[in-house]
Amino acid sequence: MLRVLMILVPLALSIYAFIDCITTDEKDVRHIPKPVWAILVLLFPLVGSIAWLMVGRKPTAGIGSAGGRRGGWVAPDDNPDFLKSLEKDGKKDGSADGSKDDGKKAEPPAADAGTGGAGTDALAELERREAELRRREAEIERREKGGSADDAPPAV
């Protein structure tokens, strides 16, 4: 077990240091140019990694602070610009003004007069499918309660 740790820890350290080195901005690199640091980390994994982490980059603030971020991704609910854009969009639509939802079902769109009754046909088809769905749900409930499908009234 100790042998595995002696291999995995330096490997993980060198991978972390290499990725950190190549993703760090040029202005945050100290003493040597960034490509040279990357080569050092690859050629001398343990010493190069430790040197990069100790000397090669500018120290950052603690992990939880805003100063420690290097322009990373911010969740939408933490992004003030995104929240402002939502407020602007809501004001344009009129939905952010506190309009209440009264729980009524939305009416299906009216059929267009120029469709030649296609809207009416679609509405009739929708009603037929809903009736079929209700019939099947009722049949399943009867089966679960112990009745058989033969007890059900014939379909219309």
Side-chain angles (χ1 to χ4, degrees):
M1 180 68 175
L2 190 58
R3 282 187 233 163
V4 174
L5 285 177
M6 289 178 62
I7 294 171
L8 288 181
V9 170
L11 179 66
L13 177 67
S14 59
I15 291 172
Y16 172 79
F18 180 70
I19 292 173
D20 187 50
C21 179
I22 61 175
T23 59
T24 300
D25 292 335
E26 282 284 341
K27 64 180 181 187
D28 293 334
V29 177
R30 297 190 303 180
H31 304 295
I32 307 173
K34 189 166 131 176
V36 176
W37 275 115
I39 291 170
L40 282 175
V41 170
L42 287 176
L43 290 179
F44 307 103
L46 190 60
V47 175
S49 301
I50 294 172
W52 164 253
L53 294 173
M54 301 287 285
V55 180
R57 63 182 178 150
K58 289 184 181 175
T60 58
I63 289 179
S65 67
R69 273 193 196 152
R70 291 187 293 196
W73 182 79
V74 178
D77 57 345
D78 293 337
N79 188 342
D81 295 331
F82 176 74
L83 295 174
K84 287 177 188 174
S85 73
L86 284 180
E87 290 173 4
K88 288 178 186 176
D89 291 345
K91 287 179 183 175
K92 273 193 259 181
D93 297 339
S95 59
D97 59 353
S99 60
K100 61 179 182 175
D101 182 19
D102 54 4
K104 292 182 182 176
K105 291 172 98 174
E107 295 290 325
D112 209 4
T115 60
T120 307
D121 293 341
L123 188 58
E125 176 68 16
L126 179 63
E127 289 174 353
R128 186 191 65 77
R129 288 183 179 186
E130 287 178 347
E132 176 69 17
L133 182 61
R134 280 190 226 102
R135 185 189 65 78
R136 288 182 181 181
E137 287 175 344
E139 185 178 325
I140 290 171
E141 285 180 19
R142 279 191 289 276
R143 285 182 184 174
E144 288 176 352
K145 290 180 182 176
S148 66
D150 299 332
D151 297 340
V156 178

